[in-house]
């Protein structure tokens, strides 16, 4: 007689993991809006450091020279974004999606 064995159920879903603080123990500014959807936005040379940008969407955004150091960028989407000179030092970039990005 054969017995079937199944793997244990997952302990957390992807979205539940994003609700948890970053494993990098980042010090972040308070998030001002629930949904961050920036289409063709101009953020060149802006200070976006230490921001909670989990799940943010930047489509065709101008981010040239922006400072995103120490930010939580988990599951953020950068599609056709212009990003040369962006400072990402010390940012949590788990599951970031970059599609046709200019670096």
């Amino acid at each position: 007689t054969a017995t079937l064995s199944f793997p244990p159920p997952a302990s957390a879903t992807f979205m539940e993991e994003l609700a948890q603080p970053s494993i990098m123990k980042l010090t972040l500014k308070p998030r001002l809006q629930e949904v961050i959807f920036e289409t063709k936005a101009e953020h060149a040379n802006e200070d976006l450091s230490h921001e909670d940008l989990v799940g943010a969407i930047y489509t065709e955004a101008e981010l040239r020279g922006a400072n995103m150091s120490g930010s939580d960028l988990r599951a953020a989407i950068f599609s056709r974004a212009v990003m040369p000179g962006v400072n990402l030092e010390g940012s949590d970039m788990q599951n970031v999606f970059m599609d046709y990005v200019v670096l």
Side-chain angles (χ1 to χ4, degrees):
T1 305
T3 1
L4 295 175
S5 64
F6 298 97
S11 61
T13 66
F14 177 70
M15 294 306 291
E16 288 171 343
E17 289 175 6
L18 291 179
Q20 301 300 317
S22 167
I23 60 171
M24 294 179 65
K25 298 182 179 17
L26 301 171
T27 303
L28 302 172
K29 300 171 191 168
R31 188 162 176 157
L32 301 177
Q33 60 193 73
E34 185 175 341
V35 177
I36 301 171
F37 185 69
E38 301 280 341
T39 299
K40 297 186 180 180
E42 294 285 335
H43 293 291
N45 301 309
E46 284 190 19
D47 182 12
L48 300 171
S49 63
H50 304 283
E51 295 283 351
D52 179 356
L53 300 173
V54 172
I57 300 170
Y58 290 94
T59 305
E60 297 182 20
E62 171 62 62
L63 297 165
R64 186 183 319 262
N67 181 9
M68 294 182 149
S69 64
S71 292
D72 193 346
L73 298 168
R74 291 176 295 155
I77 297 171
F78 297 93
S79 181
R80 299 181 187 177
V82 180
M83 302 177 67
V86 170
N87 181 358
L88 297 167
E89 184 177 346
S91 294
D92 189 342
M93 296 184 65
Q94 293 181 69
N95 299 310
V96 166
F97 180 76
M98 291 187 169
D99 180 46
Y100 295 103
V101 171
V102 178
L103 295 174

